[in-house]
Amino acid sequence: MDEKEAARAAVREFLTTRRARVTPTDAGLPPQGSRRRVKGLRREEVALLAGVSPEYYVRLERGQATGPSAGVVDAVAGVLRLDDDERAHLDRLLAALTPAARKRSRGAAKDLVTSGIRVVLDSMDHLPAVVFNGRFDILAVNTLGRALLAPVYDLPGRTNSARFLFLDEPRARDLFPEWDGITADTVAMLRIEAGRHPDDPDLTELIGELATRSTEFRTRWAANDVRTPRAGTKTFRHPLIGEVTLPYETLRIDAVSSQVLSVYAPRPGTPEADAIRLLASWNADNQRNNDPTPRTRPEPRGLT
């Protein structure tokens, strides 16, 4: 499949899955009876509701419409009930259909972490922090972040959190009790990255590897869901500090739009902050003694 066909396929798969989510009742159409061959709306129903001809919507869904206006895309997005992430993703997919956009996308994903970002990481000695690219490769991490994510580094090959989640599933489920939600979000964010950089060979290789080796990944990838990185909480069942739910902030690095800095930042005085203090204490001792990571939890050392 060449680049143009791949771009068209991405548009077709995305719009088809979004159309399947919306029932005629959801869209305010009269009852259609029980013998419907399609799940969700038909193409002609989307066209009717969006105010375009059925023929034009078919071309749009197939990635064959030339330069659809913002008004048409707005109307289709409204009918399909796209959220902000999905609408932005659709815009990127449609833009990628033009040769100029495909040419600009080559080499867009950058993995170089600047010296300034490394200084920022090292200065946060009391909070775990990590830099990811859009493929979920871990590009840089401070010592506390390395201790928090230590199991991720045990998987041979590229240090990539998506690979850990799907290719080391038993240990990933142990580290992340909310594995189902985390993996769904991870795949949705990989979909965003695929829309931004369809020509990234490393991303293509990663998706191919995960799709080949993980049924769970294939199922989630086929859903075509999209999500941008944002702040939230993540629950760890860590071998050193036990089960803890940590709030995190996700900051996009302006110089390289595909990189994000994630910082786990529990509020001072909370049990979560005490857990990070315990991890930091162990990490400092480990660095002094140059010992391998223990597989049992340390004593709390009187932390409250």
Side-chain angles (χ1 to χ4, degrees):
M1 183 183 298
D2 63 21
E3 293 176 12
K4 187 174 182 179
E5 285 303 312
R8 286 177 172 174
V11 172
R12 181 175 64 251
E13 291 169 6
F14 182 67
L15 288 177
T16 300
T17 56
R18 300 311 91 176
R19 180 164 53 85
R21 298 183 313 180
V22 183
T23 68
T25 301
D26 293 335
L29 293 174
Q32 303 290 310
S34 59
R35 301 186 62 181
R36 290 178 62 90
R37 295 182 180 181
V38 299
K39 181 180 179 181
L41 294 176
R42 298 186 180 100
R43 293 185 181 90
E44 58 268 26
E45 291 170 335
V46 176
L48 172 67
L49 293 167
V52 299
S53 70
E55 294 78 13
Y56 184 83
Y57 179 74
V58 168
R59 295 203 307 275
L60 178 67
E61 188 172 287
R62 290 176 177 174
Q64 297 172 338
T66 302
S69 69
V72 168
V73 180
D74 279 339
V76 170
V79 172
L80 299 182
R81 299 189 171 191
L82 303 188
D83 62 24
D84 291 343
D85 288 346
E86 291 169 330
R87 172 57 203 271
H89 183 63
L90 177 59
D91 287 341
R92 284 188 292 268
L93 294 181
L94 293 174
L97 292 172
T98 65
R102 292 198 300 272
K103 183 176 181 180
R104 287 195 300 271
S105 72
R106 292 189 179 98
K110 299 181 184 299
D111 297 337
L112 178 65
V113 178
T114 66
S115 59
I117 293 299
R118 292 187 183 277
V119 170
V120 171
L121 282 175
D122 292 340
S123 69
M124 291 188 290
D125 57 357
H126 62 297
L127 296 175
V130 58
V131 175
F132 295 97
N133 62 13
R135 300 185 300 269
F136 287 93
D137 293 330
I138 296 179
L139 303 180
V141 63
N142 65 4
T143 55
L144 198 50
R146 175 66 171 79
L148 181 65
L149 298 173
V152 179
Y153 287 81
D154 291 341
L155 186 67
R158 177 183 296 171
T159 304
N160 178 284
S161 62
R163 292 184 74 247
F164 173 72
L165 287 169
F166 289 103
L167 303 187
D168 200 355
E169 185 178 329
R171 295 180 69 241
R173 286 182 179 272
D174 189 50
L175 180 62
F176 298 113
E178 298 173 344
W179 184 88
D180 287 318
I182 290 173
T183 52
D185 287 346
T186 297
V187 175
M189 286 184 272
L190 282 174
R191 269 287 180 191
I192 291 283
E193 186 69 5
R196 286 192 178 113
H197 305 300
D199 301 324
D200 180 0
D202 291 327
L203 179 60
T204 301
E205 179 184 358
L206 173 66
I207 292 169
E209 179 186 22
L210 297 179
T212 300
R213 300 176 59 183
S214 171
T215 301
E216 295 280 3
F217 177 85
R218 288 197 300 274
T219 300
R220 287 161 173 76
W221 187 254
N224 261 271
D225 291 333
V226 293
R227 184 180 188 274
T228 55
R230 54 176 62 94
T233 61
K234 188 172 292 184
T235 300
F236 294 83
R237 190 184 295 120
H238 197 273
L240 294 169
I241 58 177
E243 187 163 318
V244 59
T245 298
L246 299 175
Y248 64 87
E249 297 291 334
T250 298
L251 311 173
R252 187 167 298 281
I253 298 173
D254 290 342
V256 185
S257 62
S258 62
Q259 291 183 7
V260 294
L261 170 64
S262 290
V263 183
Y264 294 91
R267 293 179 60 186
T270 61
E272 294 77 18
D274 291 341
I276 294 302
R277 285 174 55 207
L278 175 60
L279 184 62
S281 177
W282 171 84
N283 192 59
D285 288 347
N286 183 58
Q287 287 187 317
R288 284 194 295 268
N289 299 330
N290 196 27
D291 288 335
T293 302
R295 297 304 176 189
T296 58
R297 292 179 63 185
E299 293 300 319
R301 297 191 176 192
L303 293 180
T304 58

